[in-house]
Amino acid sequence: MASKTHFMTKTVREYVAAHSARPDALLEELRAVTGRETMFRMQVGPEQGAFLSLLVKLLGARRAIEIGTFTGYSAICIARSLGPGGTLLACDVSEEWTAVAREFWRRAGLADRIQLALAPALGTLDRLITDGRAGSFDFAFIDADKENYDAYYERCLTLIRPAGLIVFDNVLWSGAVADKKDRSASTVALRALNDKLVADARVDVSMVPIGDGMTLALKK
Ligand SMILES: C[S@@+](CC[C@H](N)C(=O)[O-])C[C@H]1O[C@@H](n2cnc3c(N)ncnc32)[C@H](O)[C@@H]1O
């Protein structure tokens, strides 16, 4: 039987956030700047950012990929936890949003650690595989168009090494995945991926109800 999480009210979620992420002036400024754009909800929350930082550190990751960068918040959380000489390849299609990201990466002193691939991510990942980079990454974060999550997963599984980690954001999709009546394309894609991951013998998984839900998939 699933454990009880009915205590996760908005107040408790805010409490969790306040006790996960330490105050960070630059990230707070980035959140505020992004908030002026209409789509600030796309950004991971502070507690998710802290979680990503911790995972990257735990893994001792030096080579990371991010699919869906937006204004650069999660990229900062990942890049600053990478080991010595570490690099993050950040994939996005938006020149406008990633211009904000580049400015904040520069100010965070991370410009030399983050490389931006401004193109549809499937093509970027396929090119990495063709270029012989299979098995050379430690960590992948998937947070772009939901209908392509499974395609991103299969490519990331090729690109990361055994015992490397893939993290997916928005796996709960505001709870819609558990509502069988919701047949929207993104919900259907996420629900199918969640079903696939829990049964996939190539990985060990844990779905964590943080933010809009994050699944960790550790490659065997
Ligand atoms: C939810 S946002 C990413 C948020 C980011 N991880 C953060 O925490 O700030 C999704 C991003 O995916 C990008 N995106 C959408 N389709 C894409 C594609 N086919 N290839 C690469 N990026 C894509 C969008 O431009 C958008 O910036």
Side-chain angles (χ1 to χ4, degrees), residues 115-137:
Q115 188 201 338
L116 179 65
L118 201 55
L122 278 182
T124 302
L125 298 175
D126 282 339
R127 208 160 313 114
L128 288 170
I129 293 169
T130 310
D131 289 351
R133 300 287 305 278
S136 70
F137 288 86

Side-chain angles (χ1 to χ4, degrees), residues 122-180:
L122 278 182
T124 302
L125 298 175
D126 282 339
R127 208 160 313 114
L128 288 170
I129 293 169
T130 310
D131 289 351
R133 300 287 305 278
S136 70
F137 288 86
D138 306 298
F139 180 85
F141 179 49
I142 300 178
D143 189 18
D145 46 325
K146 309 309 163 196
E147 287 91 328
N148 272 323
Y149 263 35
D150 187 34
Y152 296 144
Y153 170 53
E154 288 299 335
R155 285 155 180 81
C156 287
L157 204 54
T158 299
L159 286 166
I160 64 163
R161 60 164 167 88
L165 186 69
I166 304 173
V167 179
F168 302 84
D169 194 24
N170 304 113
V171 294
L172 293 177
W173 210 226
S174 303
V177 287
D179 174 4
K180 290 194 176 105

